Amino acid sequence: MAKPWVHPADYDATPRPVVATGNEYPPSFELDWHQHGRGQLLYAAAGVAVVSTPHGAWIAPPERAVWTPAGVPHSVRMVGAVSTRSVLLDERASAALGDAGRVIGVSPLVRHLLIAACDIPVDYDETGRDGLVMDLLLAELARAPVIPLAVPFPAAPALARRCHAFLERPTPHETIDDWCGELGLGRRAFTRAFRRETGMSFGAWRQQACLLAALPRLAAGEPVTTIALDLGYDSPAAFSTMFKRLLGIPPNRYKPGGAGAGFD
């Protein structure tokens, strides 16, 4: 039986280290900017969620979850109808997931633990079965792999504006020299500044931006060929090669009904 509705403030106030909640959202629903007193792991059991913060953007397609540390402002955009399962962790429980946003892999065991956790009351018995479920969930989250589905934003205003503009029309064909010319920087100065500001090379960041644009469209059922050509790839095969290299599976796995896509 599902647990009764809980006021959001109660999730921060409870002395329990871990609490969980589930929500259902209609297509294209957006949660405006907000923040939590606890760290939040957001898992889309169905559909795709895109989490944006002042520091970057992260995407939760099937079998993935987004970690947002406590106190970090963020907004969430739903792609299609989305069924979320979230756990909110206090400072001690958050330690294993770190103090920076990230995407982690969700194993079948973690998926079932997240679903089970959402039926556990906020004031659960830490010494009983419910406490054991939460302890096992924390242990599994601590060993979950980090997935490269991040597009960090630089703090430098001019570079940040250029990154945001690229996200509006991502393409694999823009080069470092193109950006250097627009920003009035030498190639060496640009590459150093970009890595310092984002923690990534320009080429890696560009690929992540293309993935960020592609995954919601795949989840919405758009053809791989259309997405590949819109993003500027020379062929669907070139796009699929990049996609599989970064995520380990081909893009059709992320389409509704795709083999192993994880859509419910």
Side-chain angles (χ1 to χ4, degrees):
M1 183 176 70
K3 65 185 179 185
W5 182 83
V6 178
H7 192 281
D10 293 339
Y11 288 109
D12 289 339
T14 179
R16 302 298 186 267
V18 188
V19 288
T21 180
N23 292 286
E24 308 295 324
Y25 297 101
S28 302
F29 188 84
E30 295 192 17
L31 290 170
D32 203 359
W33 290 91
H34 63 287
Q35 61 191 60
H36 304 286
R38 290 170 172 244
Q40 180 189 39
L41 185 75
L42 177 67
Y43 169 62
V48 172
V50 180
V51 179
S52 297
T53 79
H55 312 295
W58 291 261
I59 189 165
E63 303 171 14
R64 306 289 187 263
V66 176
W67 168 246
T68 304
V72 175
H74 59 284
S75 63
V76 185
R77 176 169 58 89
M78 311 301 171
V79 180
V82 177
S83 177
T84 66
R85 302 293 181 266
S86 295
V87 288
L88 299 163
L89 312 181
D90 70 8
E91 184 176 359
R92 292 171 299 155
S94 295
L97 289 173
D99 57 1
R102 61 177 60 183
V103 176
I104 66 169
V106 175
S107 68
L109 175 57
V110 170
R111 170 186 170 89
H112 288 293
L113 288 170
L114 287 168
I115 293 172
C118 289
D119 290 332
I120 292 177
V122 172
D123 57 349
Y124 59 86
D125 179 3
E126 293 183 85
T127 64
R129 182 261 184 190
D130 292 343
L132 290 173
V133 169
M134 294 303 199
D135 287 344
L136 180 56
L137 175 58
L138 281 179
E140 290 298 307
L141 290 178
R143 62 192 298 270
V146 178
I147 308 299
L149 283 173
V151 183
F153 299 145
L159 189 54
R161 286 193 296 270
R162 188 61 185 83
C163 287
H164 282 283
F166 183 86
L167 286 176
E168 294 295 324
R169 294 184 62 85
T171 171
H173 298 307
E174 286 194 10
T175 67
I176 288 178
D177 291 332
D178 293 331
W179 286 44
C180 287
E182 293 183 31
L183 295 169
L185 293 172
R187 186 182 180 92
R188 179 176 295 182
F190 172 84
T191 56
R192 288 178 175 174
F194 198 92
R195 186 176 288 278
R196 183 178 65 250
E197 291 279 337
T198 67
M200 303 173 71
S201 70
F202 173 76
W205 187 93
R206 182 183 57 192
Q207 288 185 333
Q208 295 296 322
C210 287
L211 276 180
L212 184 71
L215 282 169
R217 296 179 63 180
L218 287 168
E222 291 190 40
V224 173
T225 298
T226 300
I227 296 170
L229 297 179
D230 283 352
L231 289 177
Y233 281 85
D234 295 330
S235 68
F239 170 74
S240 296
T241 297
M242 178 277 297
F243 193 101
K244 188 172 183 179
R245 184 175 68 252
L246 292 178
L247 296 185
I249 58 175
N252 57 14
R253 284 279 300 275
Y254 279 95
K255 295 181 65 177
F263 286 84
D264 296 326

